[in-house]
Amino acid sequence: MSMGYGQPKAHYSTVEEEEVPILSSMPFDVSSFTGPPQNEEQLREADRRKNEFLAILAHEVRNPLAPLRNGLQILKMRSSADPTVSQTVDMMDRQMTHLARLVDDLLDLSRITRGKLELRRQKVLLTEILANAVESSRALIEANRHELAVDLSVTDLLVDADPDRLVQVLSNLLLNSAKYTDAGGFITLALERDNGEAVVTVQDNGIGIPPAALEQIFDMFCQVPTHEARATQGLGIGLSVVRTLVEMHGGSVRAFSEGPGKGSRFTVRLPIAEGPHFVSEH
């Protein structure tokens, strides 16, 4: 079966000011964070200010990304005969994409904690979602020389979902596998039907997850201890966002692993929809 890959969307804010210190733009006194909260009202206020801080931090960091990405695209269009230059530009582009994803996760976390995240639902084929998720994560998978196998036992499953958010969920899981699997690893993306649910599985032969961490891995800011230091260690936000988005779609997500060094498997379950589907313009 052939799968059409759409171009993943990227949204960047424009920059109006140069090097504006983040803390100077805070609408509150940062010094008030010092000292432990004394009562429930202060706890709620501290939580509100923390969410406000995350939102402002994400926006401030995101602003410079657009001109940086544009500059990289110009460099890529002016192809160089020097392979070192080309490789360096490609590396910078991958790191810029990684930074953009981290910032987007921070923005989503802020929206989730403030109840501002909304879904734009429509009936869509899950195969379209999978195709776009693969395309969105392809660069890192190929950079790490992983082999990706896509196994579709069914091709006609519809879900009532926000396509962009489901692509975000599955590309996040694919990117996790790519990051936490040693170079030249194996990743599988599978789709099947289980009664009234669509089941999407992302499996790898990577570093695995300690059994004690399986229940906490979706918690906000959770950092799973590993036997080795990794430059790709994240903020502990992505999987928390994944769980929230899946549950907002009426589904569930679980992690499985036999332990360190034995790979991992993430399973997303979503209710199947009936009826005609929206044809994507990707």
Side-chain angles (χ1 to χ4, degrees), residues 14-21 25 60 63-64:
T14 57
V15 161
E16 299 296 338
E17 299 174 303
E18 295 291 337
E19 301 181 356
V20 179
S25 64
E60 290 287 351
N63 278 341

Side-chain angles (χ1 to χ4, degrees), residues 26 30 38 59 91 130 141 153 185 199 204 219 241 261:
M26 295 294 176
V30 179
Q38 300 300 315
H59 279 290
M91 177 273 294
L130 267 62
I141 292 173
S153 63
V199 183
D204 61 62
D219 292 346
V241 172

Side-chain angles (χ1 to χ4, degrees), residues 3 42 44 47 51 54 117 120 147 159 167 206 210 215 218 225 248 252 258:
M3 298 175 65
Q42 287 180 321
R44 285 197 298 268
D47 187 59
N51 295 336
L54 288 175
L117 189 68
R120 299 179 180 179
E147 181 179 347
V159 288
V167 169
E215 294 301 319
F218 294 101
M248 288 177 70
S252 62
E258 295 182 4

Side-chain angles (χ1 to χ4, degrees), residues 94 137-149 177-179 181-187 205:
R94 288 194 300 271
S137 53
R138 182 180 296 280
L140 184 60
I141 292 173
E142 292 182 348
N144 289 346
R145 306 190 307 281
H146 297 317
E147 181 179 347
L148 173 65
S177 287
K179 286 191 294 184
T181 299
D182 291 334
F186 190 80
I187 301 171
N205 62 343

Side-chain angles (χ1 to χ4, degrees), residues 214-265:
L214 287 173
E215 294 301 319
Q216 297 130 20
I217 198 169
F218 294 101
D219 292 346
M220 194 179 302
F221 304 122
C222 174
Q223 296 283 346
V224 176
T226 63
H227 64 283
E228 55 183 302
R230 288 193 167 242
T232 52
Q233 185 78 2
L235 299 176
I237 296 174
L239 288 179
S240 176
V241 172
V242 163
R243 180 174 63 181
T244 298
L245 290 176
V246 171
E247 290 178 349
M248 288 177 70
H249 283 87
S252 62
V253 58
R254 291 191 65 188
F256 304 88
S257 178
E258 295 182 4
K262 297 185 178 179
S264 60
R265 183 175 84 256

